[in-house]
Amino acid sequence: MPPPARTNHKLTGMALYVGFDSSTQSLSVTIVEVAGDLRRIVFEHTLVFDDELPGYGTAHGVRVSDDGRTVVAPPAMWADALDRTAGIITDSGLDLSQIRALSGSAQQHGSVYLRAGGETALASLDPSLPLAGQVAPLLSRDTSPVWMDCSTGAECRALAEALGGDAALARLTGSRAYERFTAAQIRKFATRDPEAYARTARIHLVSSFMASLLAGRDAPLEPGDASGMNLMDLAARQWSSAALEATAPDLASRLPPIAESWTTVGELAPYWRRRYGFGPARVIAWTGDNPSSLIGLGLFEPGQLAISLGTSDTVFGPIARPVHDPSGAGHVFGSPAGGYMGLTCFANGSLARERVRDAYALDWGGFSALLERTPAGNGGALMLPWFVPEITPAVAHADMHRRALDAADAARNVRAIVEAQAMAMRLHSRWIVDRVGVIRATGGAAANAQILQVIADVFAAEVVRIASGNSAALGAALRAFHGDRFAAGDPVSWEEAVAGFTDPTPQPHIRPAPSHVAAYATLLREYEAFESRMRSSA
Ligand code: ADP
Ligand code: XUL
């Protein structure tokens, strides 16, 4: 889990910057202090939705339909979490008047639907009442489809056909048609519930919705998160009218504008100032969690690579040009720092690991001990860990397979899932960077050194971590700093903005073991063949 809240009370009275991360399972906040060369994290806190807000009836932050394909979450829960976290910041002992700017990141692709009049209502929320009850009536749809949804296959086919095929759509928007991407989700909503679509005046991503709550006005989208919609012309960093028309009627008027990621949305709204005593700090545009982690990990040079082990597993890094994955499985997003990033996403990440852990009644300590006890290469045993439909490679139905692996053997199953995930990451990230010397790891499971060792061995690369447990929230705080300085007419470069925060921690050293690297050179080819055989037989 992310580190517990901690406050350093010996502050020097300089600028504070706040970064939120509204992820699948939790809302985190990281606050940094910047005083010249003195840079430090002064507060971190994570609110887990299922534990702290059980009234919304989520499991792992979402609600899943019986067939497992429709996955939604209530936006009022995210608003509630933001409200409670503001209260927690107030109680932290920090001097709120030192906060210069706030920004955030959010799980990508999810969409929030607001009725007409939402913007005016957001500007005049009653500070004596909780936020969630005031936000719920503004929604034209009380749940949001989120990135885990895979119910829109028909809509994807229609979009691809209307826009000249998947390859053409990938050249235009950075990705072929994806079920979780917002265009397919909007199309499904507009065709299946046209009345509710007609009542919808504004469609936000989770990121721009949360920024709108803070600023009390309609926030723009920025290119990092907007490129996860199949709606943005990647080269122009603006909406593609062809993609909008293929998606739903009158969509252009329902979408916020796209602006650079360092745009000031406005001042913190009166709600937050009166209810909690915050000052008139700047709200900087929010982005997606993966683009935010790119900043929080300090990755600006093509050739660098990060692995995020969160609810989803993702592999990403800056890329010089919008080159596409020849297999069609990856995404090109805009980087919040300008330019592009490549990303490959796996739906069977932490929750799949938890499934194997729970199947053998283990805790993470027991899981890691078994991982350590089993040999690299697992004696040739293989697993395809598709416990839910997989994004990469595209697997439409849950379809878990074992090869030369006894289901009763806890230790080998633990090793098999971790090796499978690491090998899939390696195979499907070659288009971003073929060989890499150092990988930056982040996300909840990056706390697990045994999992990181398998990744190091499979990639034949060193794996490092940064001091912060949450690179997305840290990236948001650093983007708040960067955006604030830009707005104040005293801009800093991205490298300067992240300096002192993104250096790898010296311990632990997770280096590839030569004998393990050799074992995976063989197993990787076998895994690739197994993966392709089972996909074609599905
Ligand atoms: P998200 O940001 O997607 O909500 P996080 O990055 O916070 O998710 O990661 C949460 C996940 O981290 C949990 O679902 C859990 O499976 C995993 N996790 C936490 N601690 C460990 C650990 N020691 N070993 C492996 N996985 C862990
Ligand atoms: C990325 C993706 C996930 C979400 C989860 O394309 O779908 O990583 O951003 O937070």
Side-chain angles (χ1 to χ4, degrees), residues 109 149-185 187 227-232 243 246-247 324-325 327-333 390-395:
H109 318 296
D149 187 285
C150 53
S151 67
T152 58
E155 285 79 8
C156 286
R157 285 188 290 279
L159 283 171
E161 195 177 319
L163 291 159
D166 268 321
L169 189 55
R171 278 194 301 276
L172 178 65
T173 69
S175 300
R176 68 165 172 80
Y178 271 95
E179 291 169 310
R180 70 192 192 287
F181 275 42
T182 327
Q185 296 293 339
R187 188 182 166 95
S227 44
M229 300 172 82
N230 277 141
L231 292 174
M232 189 184 86
T247 299
H324 294 279
D325 176 8
S327 80
H331 314 300
V332 181
F333 292 155
E390 182 47 69
I391 296 166
T392 313
V395 179

Side-chain angles (χ1 to χ4, degrees), residues 9-90:
H9 289 279
K10 282 169 62 191
L11 294 178
T12 50
M14 304 307 266
L16 298 178
Y17 295 99
V18 179
F20 296 99
D21 176 41
S22 181
S23 73
T24 314
Q25 304 191 52
S26 58
L27 179 85
S28 298
V29 64
T30 295
I31 304 181
V32 301
E33 181 189 23
V34 178
D37 286 346
L38 171 75
R39 286 146 179 255
R40 56 186 173 176
I41 293 173
V42 292
F43 185 74
E44 290 186 300
H45 183 267
T46 292
L47 183 157
V48 176
F49 301 137
D50 293 0
D51 298 345
E52 306 286 327
L53 302 171
Y56 293 94
T58 59
H60 296 292
V62 298
R63 298 182 196 147
V64 184
S65 64
D66 288 343
D67 68 358
R69 307 192 73 74
T70 304
V71 186
V72 299
M77 177 178 77
W78 301 325
D80 207 339
L82 190 62
D83 207 10
R84 287 169 195 240
T85 300
I88 292 164
I89 296 171
T90 310

Side-chain angles (χ1 to χ4, degrees), residues 118-162:
E119 187 173 12
T120 336
L122 286 181
S124 53
L125 294 169
D126 183 345
S128 68
L129 297 173
L131 184 61
Q134 300 186 71
V135 165
L138 309 181
L139 304 170
S140 60
R141 183 179 184 184
D142 59 4
T143 57
S144 292
V146 299
W147 69 271
M148 297 163 94
D149 187 285
C150 53
S151 67
T152 58
E155 285 79 8
C156 286
R157 285 188 290 279
L159 283 171
E161 195 177 319

Side-chain angles (χ1 to χ4, degrees), residues 24 107-109 147 180 289-290 312 314 343 345:
T24 314
Q107 55 172 302
Q108 298 197 251
H109 318 296
W147 69 271
R180 70 192 192 287
D289 49 7
N290 294 295
S312 61
T314 57
L343 178 139
C345 181

Side-chain angles (χ1 to χ4, degrees), residues 1-2 21 23-26 60 147 289 308-312 350-351 353-354 357 364 367-368 442-448 451 470:
M1 280 317 242
D21 176 41
S23 73
T24 314
Q25 304 191 52
S26 58
H60 296 292
W147 69 271
D289 49 7
S308 171
L309 305 170
T311 312
S312 61
S350 280
L351 300 187
R353 286 185 287 276
E354 284 182 22
R357 180 197 66 182
W364 286 126
F367 185 96
S368 308
T442 185
N448 191 314
I451 293 177
N470 189 322

Side-chain angles (χ1 to χ4, degrees), residues 207-340:
S207 59
S208 56
F209 167 67
M210 299 295 274
S212 302
L213 294 180
L214 285 183
R217 58 189 301 185
D218 232 6
L221 284 169
E222 55 65 69
D225 216 16
S227 44
M229 300 172 82
N230 277 141
L231 292 174
M232 189 184 86
D233 178 330
L234 190 65
R237 287 168 116 81
Q238 287 304 326
W239 299 123
S240 152
S241 49
L244 264 49
E245 274 160 34
T247 299
D250 299 322
L251 183 52
S253 66
R254 288 176 167 84
L255 293 174
I258 299 173
E260 290 296 357
S261 86
W262 47 89
T263 301
T264 298
V265 182
E267 278 186 355
L268 203 53
Y271 177 84
W272 307 99
R273 293 159 64 177
R274 299 208 187 110
R275 187 170 170 84
Y276 296 109
F278 288 99
R282 287 191 175 99
V283 178
I284 306 298
W286 285 39
T287 185
D289 49 7
N290 294 295
S292 193
S293 274
L294 192 80
I295 306 297
L297 294 169
L299 300 184
F300 304 111
E301 295 298 323
Q304 296 177 315
L305 198 71
I307 288 183
S308 171
L309 305 170
T311 312
S312 61
D313 286 348
T314 57
V315 189
F316 55 87
I319 52 177
R321 292 182 320 281
V323 285
H324 294 279
D325 176 8
S327 80
H331 314 300
V332 181
F333 292 155
S335 159
Y340 302 97

